Amino acid sequence: MKKFLDLFLAFARVGVMTFGGGYAMIPILEREIVDKHGWATSEELMDYYAVGQCTPGVIAVNTATFIGQKLYGTLGGIVATLGVVFPSVLIISVIAGILTNFADIPAVQHAFAGIRVCVCVLIFNAVTKLWKKAVTDKASLVLCLLVFVLSVFLDLSPVLFVVLCAAAGIFFTKVGLRGK
Amino acid sequence: MLYLRLFYEFFKTGLFAVGGGMATLPFLYDMADSTGWFTYGQLADMVAVSESTPGPIGVNMATYVGFTAGGIPGAVVATLGLVTPSVIIILLIARVLKSFRQNQYVDAAFYGLRPCSVGLIAAAGVLVLKLALFNTELFQASGVLTDLFNFKAIILAVVLLICTRYVNKLKSLHPIVFIAASALIGVLFAF
């Protein structure tokens, strides 16, 4: 029982210390998982992280499941995942509860109007960063622009785009358009 | 019934959002349209709170949306819904990790999925952009072209863009710094 508690607490700490997720998480995982507990090597961590990035879902959760399952099987994977999301549920519920009560105050509304501008810029920066990794040739450029234009102007579910693009990726690779 | 729907919607998001936290954004916009649990404006605020609080962004946003739709039980159900597909998929892949990474079909599918994620996130960004920098409703009512632009917001956006991308001393700062500064500017200049 104690080993699961340790696993839960270790990943809860990772959850608390991860601001924003993504690459920010790597040094924290290194410290908590590799240095402190010796649960995985740095190389294994990079492998998990790489696969976590290219499987559906939140990368932090995917990595947690990987390490938990490696240590103590299926239950370990579940416990590690619950650990990593636990702080979020607690902190966000408190903040959301407070904000709901203050949302009508003009100063709060002005603050959020300012914040929305910042969110635009942050999303734009995220897009340009991902763009460099994703758009590597003509076929991926066409795919990206097509998805962007269609999803701005048509009210289609993102699920449809995801399924079609996975198929398109396989098709482009098979007919030899990839990398040109 | 609400909780079942919450679980289903977030299960779907967790299953199809590839590429980390921001990749959940297009699914949340779709959810705002189809369920009416929250508005586009609220969603933009949730992104800001999720970026400024501890925890992975995707998980924070799921918790926030869940809380808005159904209180604390909603927050828990939405978060569990989001992580369930991940847990199932990773537990399956963990057994065949090596061959999964080297499989040519998996590799080819992700070659198509990566640009798809970028396109979807960019399209979600356009929705925030419309809300933050333009007064679409005011323009439709008055028909005066200058009413369309929210000049204060556009100036702030340009300044932020320069600071976060080109000023070496500033661009390595955590996003929370820019979010806090924007909140302060919003209050001071009555955005």
Side-chain angles (χ1 to χ4, degrees):
Chain A
M1 215 31 231
K2 178 157 186 317
K3 64 180 186 182
F4 286 113
L5 187 66
D6 282 344
L7 188 65
F8 183 88
L9 290 177
F11 275 97
R13 271 195 295 274
V14 172
V16 171
M17 287 185 284
T18 303
F19 261 88
Y23 286 109
M25 209 177 97
I26 296 224
I28 297 155
L29 276 173
E30 286 265 348
R31 198 171 56 206
E32 196 67 36
I33 307 305
V34 180
D35 300 342
K36 208 165 145 190
H37 291 100
W39 283 336
T41 63
S42 289
E43 289 73 31
E44 282 177 311
L45 205 58
M46 290 316 293
D47 272 358
Y48 296 155
Y49 193 79
V51 177
Q53 260 183 321
C54 63
T55 40
V58 180
I59 299 166
V61 170
N62 294 350
T63 313
T65 311
F66 254 127
I67 296 168
Q69 116 86 28
K70 185 208 161 205
L71 285 172
Y72 309 126
T74 303
L75 191 58
I78 294 170
V79 169
T81 302
L82 292 178
V84 87
V85 303
F86 178 70
S88 292
V89 174
L90 215 62
I91 295 167
I92 294 286
S93 293
V94 171
I95 292 179
I98 294 170
L99 280 181
T100 316
N101 292 323
F102 292 100
D104 295 331
I105 299 170
V108 174
Q109 289 176 344
H110 291 318
F112 272 108
I115 287 172
R116 277 177 206 175
V117 177
C118 189
V119 170
C120 279
V121 174
L122 293 177
I123 294 176
F124 180 76
N125 289 345
V127 166
T128 55
K129 206 169 113 188
L130 292 169
W131 172 280
K132 281 181 207 148
K133 276 193 219 159
V135 179
T136 50
D137 53 22
K138 279 182 199 144
S140 54
L141 176 69
V142 169
L143 218 49
C144 184
L145 294 178
L146 211 59
V147 169
F148 174 70
V149 172
L150 288 178
S151 93
V152 166
F153 291 105
L154 300 175
D155 190 22
L156 296 169
S157 165
V159 174
L160 184 71
F161 290 111
V162 170
V163 173
L164 288 178
C165 284
I170 293 170
F171 174 74
F172 286 148
T173 306
K174 283 283 162 202
V175 298
L177 275 171
R178 185 174 177 178
K180 284 188 182 153
Chain B
M1 196 51 219
L2 168 72
Y3 298 117
L4 211 63
R5 181 86 194 273
L6 258 175
F7 189 87
Y8 166 73
E9 288 290 341
F10 277 94
F11 187 91
K12 206 168 70 179
T13 303
L15 186 61
F16 289 102
V18 182
M22 276 296 184
T24 61
L25 200 56
F27 292 87
L28 299 181
Y29 274 102
D30 194 45
M31 212 184 286
D33 282 337
S34 62
T35 66
W37 286 331
F38 48 92
T39 63
Y40 286 178
Q42 279 177 303
L43 191 53
D45 301 346
M46 290 177 197
V47 175
V49 172
S50 300
E51 290 248 26
S52 329
T53 44
I57 297 176
V59 175
N60 289 353
M61 294 210 281
T63 305
Y64 206 143
V65 168
F67 186 92
T68 309
I72 290 175
V76 174
V77 168
T79 307
L80 290 180
L82 182 78
V83 303
T84 303
S86 287
V87 172
I88 295 171
I89 292 168
I90 296 290
L91 287 178
L92 291 174
I93 289 177
R95 289 164 217 286
V96 289
L97 180 60
K98 256 218 162 91
S99 48
F100 177 81
R101 284 199 70 184
Q102 287 159 358
N103 184 292
Q104 54 165 326
Y105 288 98
V106 172
D107 180 65
F110 279 99
Y111 161 71
L113 282 175
R114 280 187 292 263
C116 177
S117 264
V118 177
L120 287 174
I121 298 171
V126 170
L127 292 174
V128 186
L129 193 82
K130 267 202 256 177
L131 206 67
L133 306 186
F134 300 95
N135 307 312
T136 326
E137 281 171 22
L138 187 66
F139 171 65
Q140 276 166 354
S142 72
V144 182
L145 192 62
T146 49
D147 279 349
L148 178 62
F149 303 101
N150 186 344
F151 290 104
K152 282 190 278 193
I154 292 174
I155 292 168
L156 177 63
V158 172
V159 172
L160 283 170
L161 205 60
I162 294 168
C163 289
T164 53
R165 299 176 69 86
Y166 303 110
V167 182
N168 279 327
K169 273 189 184 158
L170 295 176
K171 70 181 180 189
S172 54
L173 290 175
H174 195 277
I176 193 171
V177 176
F178 299 107
I179 290 173
S182 306
L184 198 64
I185 291 167
V187 175
L188 287 177
F189 294 93
F191 269 44

